[in-house]
Amino acid sequence: NKGLSATRTAGIRMARGKYLYFMDSDDLLSIDALKILSEHADDLNTDVLYFDGDVFADTDCSDQVQLHSQYYIRKHDYSSVYKGTELMKKMWENEEYRVSSCLQLINRAFFISHGLQFKEGILHEDNLFNFKCMLNASRTSHIQKILFHRRYRSGSIVTQRISFSHVYGYFCCFKEMQKYLEDQCTLSEDFESTAFDIVGRVLMNARDNFLKLDDAEKYTVYGLPVGQRSLFKFYISDYANMKNSWNI
């Protein structure tokens, strides 16, 4: 009961195969998905192989299904082999950058050698994980096949009411992504703006979600440790309050 990231970490410690795939309990894979993906990854010798998905609902979430029906389907061709930063830039420019760990097959040796892990105790951790993963990958590609099927149901992370936990998750990802970029000395000038745009989008998600909280829940920030509280107020709540005062 420690959450999704801790469960994934436990699985990683036990894994012995060539590839890692992170399945969410609500969702489905096509029956031959892992065979198709592992064979394709073998052929291209990829660190990370990306693929596509669709959505379905078995409860009262038909509006969510309609809204996100095309979200996990990339229209552009990324079938060549790219450095992770190159593929990130292409997908970002085409508005097809997706962070879900459920849409990628990862070489386990690559994962371990770069010390990749999932941050525990927060929501939206895939933003941080996918960012680090693509920054470190030497060989990535994408296969235009719908092999993943995301289930929308009431009460899941993607459909539940926005809470402070959602805002805090984005905030933690933003902080660590920002620090990770600052620690990198080898980013090309061509890629740098894309990387900071992606980090900025995560910050905006935190701010936008904070604005959706009721006034009482916004005070949850005062339960954070002093250092975190100061940063949270500087980056998120002070900005949100200013935005409200401008009636934007």
Side-chain angles (χ1 to χ4, degrees):
N1 295 319
K2 290 184 178 180
L4 179 61
S5 292
T7 304
R8 288 173 173 173
T9 299
I12 293 162
R13 285 198 300 266
M14 298 175 68
R16 296 295 179 266
K18 183 175 181 179
Y19 298 106
L20 298 172
Y21 178 71
F22 299 105
M23 188 76 191
D24 281 357
S25 58
D26 286 343
D27 305 324
L28 301 174
L29 279 176
S30 297
I31 195 167
D32 54 353
L34 295 180
K35 179 177 185 294
I36 292 171
L37 291 168
S38 60
E39 289 178 351
H40 201 75
D42 282 346
D43 289 343
L44 298 179
N45 190 28
T46 54
D47 296 324
V48 189
L49 177 62
Y50 295 89
F51 57 101
D52 294 335
D54 56 18
V55 298
F56 71 99
D58 57 1
T59 56
D60 185 24
C61 291
S62 57
D63 55 336
Q64 290 285 339
V65 169
Q66 185 173 0
L67 182 64
H68 296 94
S69 62
Q70 300 297 309
Y71 183 75
Y72 299 108
I73 301 174
R74 298 176 178 94
K75 308 297 188 197
H76 292 78
D77 179 17
Y78 310 103
S79 58
S80 298
V81 176
Y82 304 93
K83 285 187 62 177
T85 52
E86 294 171 346
L87 185 58
M88 181 188 284
K89 188 174 190 297
K90 287 178 179 293
M91 288 182 171
W92 179 257
E93 289 173 347
N94 291 329
E95 299 184 356
E96 293 181 333
Y97 176 73
R98 304 290 180 259
V99 302
S100 174
S101 298
C102 300
L103 295 173
Q104 47 193 279
L105 186 77
I106 304 174
N107 183 289
R108 186 168 68 91
F110 158 76
F111 187 101
I112 293 171
S113 67
H114 287 86
L116 296 172
Q117 58 186 337
F118 291 91
K119 186 173 179 62
E120 296 185 17
I122 64 168
L123 301 179
H124 306 300
E125 69 285 341
D126 279 357
N127 287 273
L128 174 60
F129 171 76
N130 187 68
F131 189 70
K132 289 184 176 181
C133 195
M134 295 193 89
L135 283 179
N136 284 287
S138 297
R139 297 181 62 84
T140 66
S141 189
H142 170 259
I143 181 172
Q144 271 186 318
K145 287 184 178 292
I146 297 173
L147 301 172
F148 168 69
H149 312 285
R150 164 139 287 167
R151 184 195 311 267
Y152 278 81
R153 63 170 178 80
S154 300
S156 69
I157 291 174
V158 295
T159 62
Q160 65 187 219
R161 180 186 66 84
I162 298 298
S163 68
F164 186 82
S165 294
H166 290 83
V167 181
Y168 183 71
Y170 281 126
F171 168 66
C172 290
C173 288
F174 160 72
K175 282 198 308 172
E176 295 211 16
M177 290 165 72
Q178 184 186 49
K179 184 178 186 308
Y180 199 72
L181 279 186
E182 290 173 352
D183 293 342
Q184 298 294 308
C185 301
T186 57
L187 291 180
S188 68
E189 186 175 337
D190 182 53
F191 170 71
E192 193 174 77
S193 61
T194 298
F196 280 101
D197 281 348
I198 291 171
V199 174
R201 174 68 61 83
V202 174
L203 175 60
M204 289 308 300
N205 286 341
R207 290 171 169 175
D208 290 344
N209 278 272
F210 185 80
L211 285 169
K212 296 175 183 177
L213 302 180
D214 58 42
D215 290 340
E217 191 161 13
K218 287 177 181 177
Y219 280 98
T220 306
V221 64
Y222 291 101
L224 296 178
V226 174
Q228 278 198 1
R229 186 195 315 157
S230 298
L231 286 174
F232 190 96
K233 285 172 64 63
F234 176 78
Y235 281 114
I236 297 172
S237 53
D238 287 351
Y239 169 86
N241 292 333
M242 186 182 300
K243 190 173 182 179
N244 268 344
S245 70
W246 292 340
N247 294 317
I248 297 177

